[in-house]
């Protein structure tokens, strides 16, 4: 009976059946011993159970394979768009679609459609540029840009520029705009009018980037230096200006001293004239008064000196010498 039932299965099932039947017979021979007519009936019953288990395992295997294939298909039909990102769908038959996919989980046709993810958050980029000023001085400028793509322009950006649009667009337009703006100012004006230069660069660069579908959130000049020759010339100019200021101060000081001498001489001559007039009108009384004042001053100075001793007249000296 077991042979007839096994003959109705395919070769794979026959092989599995033979292996399991051999295992069951070995188990009965080890635990039930050899001999006895009831053993063959038990083996036949075991064959029936083996067939049922083989069918069950095969069904489970087919179900697991189907689930694996279905899971793979579903997984390939889903894609995620993270926060701050957008996706553009490329179709193998219709090309890049105009629809921009937002954040979240979305479906696509496996092996036919492919998502291209773009980061739409603001990102910084430093662009160094060497250019010339209006007075032909070399200027080293570093421009810091905060940029992001315009979400509605992503299909056009991907089609005409590519995923590395920042590498292809920003260096060229930044260099062009900086050279055009810096050429309008002298080297000194680039320092004294830095706000004006930064504002003009920001306006021109924002307008230029909008033609490529880019938005510039901030544009600032972070580094501004000049060539070695210009730096040395500025230092020499500063030294010359300091020397000129010092010379002008000396000249002004001499002029003030001259004016002071003239005023002092005029005052002395006026005083002498007044004295002469007074002497002519009042006689020598003023001269006598000045003599008395001078004698009083001399006596006061001598009285305070330790080297001067007064000897009263008409009396003996301190040594009591005979008169």
């Amino acid at each position: 009976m077991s042979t007839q039932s096994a003959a109705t299965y395919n070769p794979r099932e026959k092989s599995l059946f033979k292996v399991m039947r051999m295992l069951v017979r070995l188990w009965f021979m080890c635990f039930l011993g050899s001999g006895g007519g009831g053993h063959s009936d038990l083996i036949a019953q075991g064959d029936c159970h083996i067939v049922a288990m083989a069918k069950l395992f095969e069904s489970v295997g087919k179900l697991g394979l189907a689930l694996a294939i279905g899971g793979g298909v579903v997984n390939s039909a889903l894609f995620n768009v993270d926060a701050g990102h957008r996706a553009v769908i490329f179709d193998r038959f219709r090309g890049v679609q105009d629809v921009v996919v937002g954040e979240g989980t979305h479906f696509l046709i496996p092996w036919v459609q492919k998502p291209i993810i773009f980061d739409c958050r603001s990102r910084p980029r430093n662009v160094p540029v060497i250019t010339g000023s209006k007075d032909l001085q070399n200027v080293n400028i570093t421009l810091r840009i905060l940029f992001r793509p315009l979400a509605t322009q992503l299909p056009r950006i991907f089609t005409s520029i590519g995923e590395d649009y920042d590498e292809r667009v920003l260096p060229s337009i930044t260099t062009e705009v900086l050279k055009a703006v810096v050429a309008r100012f002298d080297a000194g004006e680039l320092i004294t009018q830095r706000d004006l230069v930064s504002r003009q660069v920001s306006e021109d660069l924002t307008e230029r980037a909008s033609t490529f579908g880019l938005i510039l959130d901030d544009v600032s000049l972070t580094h501004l230096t000049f060539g070695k020759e210009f730096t040395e010339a500025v230092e020499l100019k500063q030294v010359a200006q300091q020397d000129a200021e010092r010379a002008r101060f000396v000249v002004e000081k001499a002029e003030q001293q001259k004016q002071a001498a003239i005023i002092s001489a005029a005052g002395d001559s006026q005083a002498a004239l007044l004295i002469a007039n007074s002497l002519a009108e009042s006689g020598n009384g003023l001269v006598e008064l000045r003599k008395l004042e001078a004698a009083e001053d001399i006596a006061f100075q001598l009285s305070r000196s330790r080297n001067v001793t007064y000897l009263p007249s008409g009396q003996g000296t301190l040594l009591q010498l005979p008169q």
Side-chain angles (χ1 to χ4, degrees), residues 6 29 44 70 73 202 224 247 250 285 288:
M29 290 175 63
V73 172
S202 178
L224 177 62
V250 172
E288 297 295 332

Side-chain angles (χ1 to χ4, degrees), residues 158-223:
F158 179 69
T159 303
S160 59
I161 304 176
E163 296 183 63
D164 55 343
Y165 58 90
D166 54 334
E167 295 289 343
R168 299 187 179 186
V169 173
L170 290 179
S172 59
I173 64 174
T174 302
T175 302
E176 177 187 357
V177 171
L178 271 178
K179 288 186 176 182
V181 174
V182 172
R184 307 172 192 168
F185 299 89
D186 294 336
E189 294 174 348
L190 292 175
I191 299 175
T192 59
Q193 302 181 16
R194 185 165 180 168
D195 293 339
L196 177 61
V197 176
S198 179
R199 185 167 59 252
Q200 289 190 3
V201 170
S202 178
E203 292 175 356
D204 296 349
L205 191 59
T206 301
E207 182 180 0
R208 191 80 172 86
S210 62
T211 59
F212 295 94
L214 301 180
I215 300 175
L216 303 184
D217 294 328
D218 181 66
V219 178
S220 57
L221 297 176
T222 58
H223 186 69

